[in-house]
Amino acid sequence: MHLKWRQATLASRIVLVMVSLLLLVQAAGFLVVQRALDRQVAREIQSALVVGERIWWRLLEQNAERLRDAATVLSADFGFRSAIASEDQQTIASALENSGSRIGASIVGLLDPSFHLIAANQENNRMADAVLHEIAANLANDRRGDRLALIEKTPYQFVMVPVRAPKVIGWVLMGFPVQQGLVDNLYYLADVNAIFYSPDKQQQSADYVSSLHDLTEVVIPGVLQQQSRLDVPNDVLITRYVDMNAMGGQLRLVLMRSSAQARLPFEQLKWLLGIITAGGLFLFGLGSIRASRKVTRPLKELTNVTEQLGQGQFNIAVPGTNSNDEVGSLARGFERMRANIAAQQDEILHLAYWDRLTGLPNREQFRKKLISSIEGCRDAAKPLVVITLNLDRFKHVNEVLGYGSGDELLKAVSSRLLELVNQDNDIVARMAGDEFAILLSSTDLAGAIVLTDRITKAFEVPLAFNDQTVDLSASMGVACWPKDALEADLLMSRSEIAMHAAKSKTAGVLIYSPSLDSSSLQTLSLLSDLRQALQEGELRLFLQPKLDTNSKRVVAAEALVRWQHPQRGLIPPLQFIPFAEQTGFVRQLTLWMFEEAARNWASLQLSDENLRIAINLSTRDLLDHDFPARLNNLLNIYELKADAFCLEITESAIMDDPQRAEATLNKLSEQGFKLSIDDFGTGYSSLAYLKRLPVNELKIDKSFVMGMEKDESDAKIVRSTIDLAHNLGLTVVAEGVENNIILNQLQLLKCDEAQGYFIGKPMPVSDFKSWRESWYNKQNLSNLII
C-alpha cells in the first residue's frame, strides 16, 4: 500500500509539474497580452480623440458652409438688395426672419459697410449693436469668414457675407447656436463623447453642451466637476482638451473616450484566450497523465518485481528489458540484480548445507537428515546411530605445518571417511573444525562398533598429502536412537559428550552413558547453585603454604577455593571446577579468589617478611582481553602491588590458543605479576613456547615429585627440570612433597620452593597466619634440639 501511494504520488507530481509549467507559460503570455492590449487601447483612445477633434472641426466647417450658403443666397436675392437700396425695413426684416427660420439660424442681421446694425430678426433685436459690431469686425478680418462667439452664456457660430450692388452695400451676419445635435453627431461619427463649455463661467451656473446625457461627478478643470456614470467596472475617461478661438469669452471642447468601452472588443479576445487556455490545460493534463502512466507503469512493475525478489522468488521475468529508454536501462539493471541475487542465494543455500572445504554436508544438513531419518524410523522401529569423530593433535599439525596443510589434512580425512562409509543412506558430515559426524541408518550399536574399529585401523595408516605424511588418530563417541535419545539434537549432543569423554580419557571410542553427561539435571542444578553460591557467600578461600627449601621459611601460599554448600556440605573442587570451566563461570571464580586474596593479604603478613599468594588461571581467563585490566582495578582498590601475587597457568591453558595466551601473559607481566607454569612436564609442547613466554617460575607436577623417592626416572626428570629452569633464569616450585626425605632431596637439587601435605594441607585463610606462626615456633624448637 505504501509503495502504491508513492507511485501515485510520483504520477501526480509529474502531472502537477507539467500542468504548473503550462500555467506559468499561459500566465506569462496572458500578462504580456494584457499589457499589449492596454498599450493598444491607450493608443486607440488617443487616436480616436485626435480623430474626434478633426471631425469636430469638420462639423463646424460644414455648419459654417451651410450658413454661408444661406447668407449668400439671401445676399444675392434681388428683392433683398432692392429692399436694402430702398431702405425698406419691413421687407429686410421679413427676409432676414424667413432666411434664419429656414436654416435654423438664431441670429440673422443686416449690417452696413461699417458693421453697424441695420435690421435683424426678432431674436437678434435683443442683442446690443456693439456686440454685433465687434463680431462683424472680427469676421471681416477672418480669412475663413466664420467665428465662434459666446453670447449671453450661449456659444454661437457666426458667418458673414457681403451684399454687393455691385459695391458692398451691407453685410449679412448669421449666428448658429452650438447645440446638442453637433456633439451628438460627433459621438455618432467618431464614437467620442464631447462636452462644449466655457471655462470662464462659475461652476454653479455653467452651461454646456454634452453628448453624455447622464452626468455626475465628471471633473472638468475650471468649470465642471461631474462624472459620466457608465456602468462599467474600472472605467476611466480619457480626455483631450481643445481650446476654441472664440469671441466674447473662452470656449473649450473636451473630448472623452471610455477606456472600458475601448477595451470591450478586446475582452472577447481575452475570453477566447481563456477558453483556449482552459482547453489547453485539459488536453495537456490528459497528455501528462498518459505520459506519467507510461513512466510509472514500468516502475510499478519493477516494484512488484522487488516484492517478489524480497519473498525469495528469483525465477521471474523482469519486464521492460527490451526498452531502449532510461526505464529499460533500469529494468536491465534489475535483471542483472535478480540474476546476481539468485546466484548468491544458490551459493548461500549451498554454504548453509555444505562444507566449502571438504564438500561434505555441514552440521545443519546433518541435523535435517537426522530429523528426517528419525521420523522415517519411528514406525518401522529401525535403529539409528550417530558417531561423532574428533581428530587428535590437529592443532599441532596447524602450528607445525601451517593452516594450509591443516586444510589438506581435513580433505584427506573426509575422503578416507567416505571410503569407509559406503551405504546409500549413511551420511558423513563435517560439523566444525576437525570434528566430523557419521549417521548410520538401519544400523545398530554392533554395526557402529564394527565401523569405529575400521576407522581406527584406517587411521593407523599415515595420511599422505602435499608430499607430507602425518600419523593421526581420532576420538569417537557413539550414541544410539532410540536408546540414548529420542530427539535429533539430544542424540547429537550425547554423541559429542561421548566423544569428548573419549578424548579426555584417550580411550579412542566411547559409547554414551548417562554417567558421561555433564549436562544432566544434577549437574545443571549444581551449576545453578554455584552461581547462587557466589552471591550468597558460600565460597571459601583456602591457602596451602609454599616453603623456601633453604631457609624453611613460608614465603608463599597457593589460593584454593572450597564450596560450603548449605545442603551438600563441603564440595571438593573437582566436582564443580570442571563444569565452571565448561560454562565460562570459572572467570567469575578467578576474580572472586583474587579479590578475596587481596582483601586478606595485609592480615596474612608477618612483620619480618611478606607472603606471596599464588592464583590459578584458567584457559578462559587467558582468552579474556579485559582480564589484566580487571586485576589491575582490584589492585588499585586494595592498594596492593602486583608482585604480591603469582599467577599460575597450566600448559593446556597456554596451548589451547598460544597467540592469545601469550598476548595476555605479556600484559600481566608488564603489570608486574610473577608468572608460573603449573604442572610442568605433563604437556607435550610447552618447551617450544617457554623461551617466548614471560614466565618467572616452573612448577613441577606432583606425579614426578612423589615418585622421585623410589623411581630414579622421576628423580632424573625432576633434576633435569630444575637445571633447565635455572639455566633459563627461572625459579622452581615442586608440589607433592609428602615427607621429609623428598624435601631434603629437593634441597640437595637446589629446588627453590616446595609445596605438599608434609608441609601443610590447604587450610581456611583465617587459620593460615596462626599456622604459619606455629610452623616457625616448631622450626625454632627443632633448631634448639639439634
Side-chain angles (χ1 to χ4, degrees), residues 395 398-400 402-403 619 622-625 651-667 689 692-694:
K395 288 184 179 180
N398 274 338
E399 292 163 2
V400 175
Y403 289 98
T619 302
L622 296 181
L623 298 182
D624 185 1
H625 294 293
E651 291 181 274
S652 60
I654 299 172
M655 296 311 301
D656 278 352
D657 194 337
Q659 292 181 349
R660 291 180 64 180
E662 183 178 352
T664 303
L665 292 175
N666 284 328
K667 290 181 182 179
Y689 295 94
R692 292 170 48 188
L693 297 177

Side-chain angles (χ1 to χ4, degrees), residues 155-167:
Y156 284 86
Q157 184 179 17
F158 287 93
V159 296
M160 187 176 67
V161 296
V163 179
R164 300 178 186 275
K167 293 182 179 180

Side-chain angles (χ1 to χ4, degrees), residues 119 323 591:
S323 178
L591 292 175

Side-chain angles (χ1 to χ4, degrees), residues 56 170 212 289 322 402 404 465 508 524 546 553 608 631 677 725 782:
W56 172 259
L212 300 172
I289 292 172
N322 296 327
F465 59 92
L524 291 175
K546 292 182 180 181
R553 306 290 292 179
D608 56 341
L631 295 190
I677 295 183
S782 298

Side-chain angles (χ1 to χ4, degrees), residues 119 375 420 452 528 721:
E375 292 299 324
L420 297 172
T452 57
S528 177
T721 303

Side-chain angles (χ1 to χ4, degrees), residues 247-538:
M247 296 177 295
Q250 186 180 2
L251 288 175
R252 178 176 293 173
L253 175 69
V254 180
L255 300 174
M256 295 176 291
R257 183 71 187 272
S258 170
S259 63
Q261 289 179 345
R263 198 180 290 111
L264 283 176
F266 300 102
E267 291 296 328
Q268 297 178 354
L269 177 61
K270 290 169 61 177
W271 278 104
L272 181 60
L273 287 176
I275 294 172
I276 293 174
T277 300
L281 284 174
F282 178 74
L283 295 177
F284 200 77
L286 289 179
S288 300
I289 292 172
R290 293 191 62 184
S292 64
R293 286 179 178 176
K294 188 175 181 180
V295 173
T296 56
R297 185 180 295 110
L299 294 180
K300 183 178 180 181
E301 294 174 349
L302 292 178
T303 301
N304 294 332
V305 169
T306 59
E307 293 177 353
Q308 290 176 315
L309 291 177
Q311 296 172 0
Q313 302 175 18
F314 301 106
N315 297 324
I316 57 175
V318 178
T321 55
N322 296 327
S323 178
N324 295 323
D325 54 10
E326 290 80 358
V327 177
S329 299
L330 180 62
R332 287 187 289 274
F334 267 85
E335 174 60 24
R336 290 191 295 271
M337 181 184 71
R338 182 201 64 79
N340 292 336
I341 293 176
Q344 292 175 3
Q345 183 70 13
D346 292 340
E347 183 177 0
I348 290 171
L349 290 175
H350 183 79
L351 293 176
Y353 294 104
W354 297 90
D355 179 60
R356 176 178 289 184
L357 178 64
T358 62
L360 295 176
N362 61 7
R363 175 182 286 273
E364 184 61 26
Q365 186 178 173
F366 184 86
R367 178 177 176 274
K368 288 183 176 293
K369 293 289 186 180
L370 178 58
I371 293 174
S372 176
S373 297
I374 289 175
E375 292 299 324
C377 293
R378 288 189 187 276
D379 297 333
K382 296 179 181 179
L384 291 174
V385 177
V386 174
I387 302 173
T388 303
L389 179 148
N390 186 267
L391 303 179
D392 299 328
R393 301 186 302 279
F394 178 70
K395 288 184 179 180
H396 182 64
V397 174
N398 274 338
E399 292 163 2
V400 175
L401 300 180
Y403 289 98
S405 296
D407 291 343
E408 294 300 323
L409 176 61
L410 292 175
K411 292 179 183 179
V413 169
S414 64
S415 298
R416 185 163 293 186
L417 291 176
L418 288 173
E419 293 174 358
L420 297 172
V421 181
N422 51 20
Q423 296 293 330
D424 293 338
N425 294 329
D426 296 341
I427 299 173
V428 177
R430 183 188 177 197
M431 307 300 278
D434 59 341
E435 183 176 318
F436 297 82
I438 302 171
L439 171 61
L440 301 179
S441 302
S442 304
T443 302
D444 55 12
L445 179 59
I449 295 300
V450 172
L451 179 60
T452 57
D453 290 340
R454 291 170 57 194
I455 294 174
T456 302
K457 291 179 180 179
F459 273 88
E460 292 176 356
V461 179
L463 290 168
F465 59 92
N466 293 343
D467 299 328
Q468 299 281 348
T469 57
V470 176
D471 291 321
L472 205 63
S473 61
S475 299
M476 289 174 278
V478 181
C480 300
W481 182 88
K483 180 176 71 69
D484 295 327
L486 295 176
E487 302 298 330
D489 291 332
L490 188 57
L491 186 65
M492 292 168 59
S493 175
R494 289 181 171 174
S495 177
E496 290 178 358
I497 290 171
M499 180 271 293
H500 287 297
K503 194 174 188 70
S504 62
K505 296 179 181 181
T506 64
V509 180
L510 279 180
I511 301 170
Y512 171 79
S513 66
S515 61
L516 301 176
D517 192 353
S518 61
S519 61
S520 63
L521 292 177
Q522 181 180 1
T523 301
L524 291 175
S525 176
L526 188 65
L527 291 177
S528 177
D529 292 346
L530 180 59
R531 294 185 178 91
Q532 184 177 356
L534 188 61
Q535 300 174 357
E536 301 295 333
E538 298 175 5

